[in-house]
Amino acid sequence: MPFDDPTCTSWHASLRLGFARDGGCTRLVRREHRGPLRVQKALYPEGPGTCHVIVVHPPGGIVGGDRLDIALDVPAGCHVLATSPGAAKWYRANGRTSRQDVRLAAGPGAAIEWLPQETIVYDEADVMLAHDVDLAPGAVYIGSEVLCFGRRASGERFTRGQVGQRTRIRIDGRPVWWEQGGATPALLASPLGMEGHSVCATLVAVGKPVPAGLRDAVRAVDPGLAVSQVKHVFVARFLGDDGERARAALTGAWTALRPHLLDRPATPPRIWNT
């Protein structure tokens, strides 16, 4: 619903999802929403142990002043894969900052895969993206993000605006990954930033260490991918100008990593092919 100010046209939407282990099945047992955020149903394309959910934002785009809050609580032994039906579009700011806060919590032995489709940032957008992940010992997390600045196919470049980002991942309350920064047109153009490219993408995986051979296999998925590992955290990054190629690169990295981290083959959500 809109903010309490009757003159405000911005939306504050929230979605809270809770899951539970029922025998060998991961069930969606709590679904609370406010404003335009929904999950229509739980899906089981790879059997009852893994629950797929598609987070839907019916307006399709986020304007200046909008705020999205998303939280997933995945208790011990559960496995959840969350994605989106299409690209998220962040429109021009109109003098206001738009924001998204994602909070994910996984219990012992649980797994969360946060794999939304790409994010398109329009010229003059002012966006803050915050992502917090809390893992119990033995939990696994795989998360990805593709950021496309401007719309090159339409001749639009990102010449004004900014995107702030913060990602925090903790295991048993201890930080294992903390990354924050801001993207501006100057940073996109800088050799210390994106070197004139318009698309960047990141996949972060937290679980058992990735062996050297598998790291090489991920690196070989696409020449635009670079990989690194620090203790429990594996990171793959892509830099280029094609959002579809970036998404394909991260999907390839996920496909290679998933059997090692979760002991099961990659099963791409059907929505990715529509």
Side-chain angles (χ1 to χ4, degrees), residues 15-224:
L15 179 67
R16 304 283 186 271
L17 301 179
F19 300 83
R21 188 75 174 175
D22 181 9
C25 182
T26 297
R27 295 197 181 279
L28 175 60
V29 296
R30 189 175 75 252
R31 179 168 39 189
E32 302 172 2
H33 65 85
R34 175 192 179 199
L37 274 175
R38 298 286 192 280
V39 162
Q40 294 179 334
K41 63 184 295 186
L43 304 170
Y44 297 91
E46 51 186 312
T50 302
C51 180
H52 288 216
V53 293
I54 301 172
V55 178
V56 180
H57 180 239
I62 301 97
V63 302
D66 284 358
R67 177 169 179 173
L68 307 181
D69 288 312
I70 302 169
L72 276 64
D73 183 13
V74 181
C78 293
H79 182 181
V80 174
L81 186 154
T83 188
S84 60
K89 303 176 182 66
W90 295 78
Y91 297 134
R92 60 184 297 176
N94 296 321
R96 294 176 139 177
T97 300
S98 48
R99 182 181 181 98
Q100 176 176 278
D101 289 89
V102 176
R103 299 176 183 85
L104 310 175
I112 297 178
E113 298 176 88
W114 178 260
L115 307 172
Q117 299 195 54
E118 58 264 43
T119 295
I120 301 173
V121 182
Y122 282 53
D123 193 29
E124 299 185 56
D126 185 349
V127 179
M128 179 62 199
L129 303 173
H131 195 81
D132 289 278
V133 182
D134 284 287
L135 304 174
V140 174
Y141 166 75
I142 305 175
S144 68
E145 178 179 60
V146 177
L147 284 174
C148 305
F149 293 91
R151 297 175 295 161
R152 286 207 169 206
S154 302
E156 177 190 287
R157 300 183 67 86
F158 188 68
T159 61
R160 288 179 290 178
Q162 60 183 347
V163 177
Q165 290 183 281
R166 188 205 69 217
T167 300
R168 297 185 298 194
I169 303 175
R170 293 177 286 254
I171 299 178
D172 202 20
R174 295 185 175 185
V176 296
W177 186 256
W178 180 299
E179 184 174 49
Q180 63 181 7
T184 63
L187 184 69
L188 268 61
S190 170
L192 300 178
M194 291 176 57
E195 298 184 306
H197 294 294
S198 61
V199 176
C200 63
T202 304
L203 181 144
V204 180
V206 182
K208 53 190 175 184
V210 176
L214 183 51
R215 294 199 298 270
D216 291 341
V218 172
R219 191 180 289 111
V221 166
D222 189 287

Side-chain angles (χ1 to χ4, degrees), residues 227-247:
V227 306
S228 62
Q229 182 168 279
V230 180
K231 294 184 179 180
H232 302 281
V233 183
F234 175 88
V235 181
R237 298 188 189 274
F238 174 92
L239 185 62
D241 296 299
D242 186 330
E244 290 187 5
R245 178 183 164 192
R247 183 152 66 96

